[in-house]
Amino acid sequence: MMFEIHSHQGVGEIRFGMTRSEVHAALGVEFESFKRSSQDAHPSDHFIGLGCFVYYGDSGRVDAVEFLEPAEPTLNGVNLLSFGFTDLIRQITKIDPDVSVESDVRLKPIAD
């Protein structure tokens, strides 16, 4: 499934701030709920067939979405899972030069 990224708003049918029940209704497919840690206030949802994890913050509302195949998260029409990590960061930096990257991966400087 294609998930178009809408910066600071959400992806596809998922919007930041939605409740779990709103996400379930919007996606309308089977999911498994789980907690990544015993300290999580709310369970996360794995939409297996879509290749999508939805995480809920302390308020119980969407605060993050993670993708794996077969999902196709797209930004400006480009499937972000079609790149390796370094190339992905280069692609995103073209769109937003002020992007912040949190990673243990060391990147080579990005040349224009």
Side-chain angles (χ1 to χ4, degrees):
M1 176 175 198
M2 195 179 256
F3 288 91
E4 182 64 27
I5 296 170
H6 304 282
S7 189
H8 304 286
Q9 295 175 22
V11 291
E13 299 297 317
I14 305 166
R15 293 291 176 256
F16 297 119
M18 288 175 103
T19 64
R20 291 183 75 224
S21 59
E22 290 171 331
V23 171
H24 298 166
L27 296 180
V29 298
E30 286 187 49
F31 61 92
E32 291 181 3
S33 295
F34 66 97
K35 285 191 174 186
R36 285 215 184 252
S37 96
S38 60
Q39 298 164 351
D40 288 345
H42 300 278
S44 301
D45 293 323
H46 181 197
F47 295 88
I48 299 165
L50 299 179
C52 159
F53 291 92
V54 179
Y55 302 103
Y56 305 91
D58 291 340
S59 67
R61 295 180 178 272
V62 174
D63 72 353
V65 183
E66 180 180 357
F67 296 101
L68 64 150
E69 291 182 341
E72 295 181 18
T74 60
L75 182 62
N76 293 346
V78 176
N79 180 353
L80 299 181
L81 292 183
S82 66
F83 295 97
F85 184 75
T86 301
D87 290 334
L88 174 63
I89 298 305
R90 284 188 177 113
Q91 189 72 21
I92 293 172
T93 303
K94 287 179 187 175
I95 297 165
D96 182 0
D98 296 324
V99 70
S100 173
V101 178
E102 294 180 25
S103 172
D104 292 338
V105 176
R106 295 202 185 270
L107 298 176
K108 294 179 183 177
I110 299 172
D112 288 329

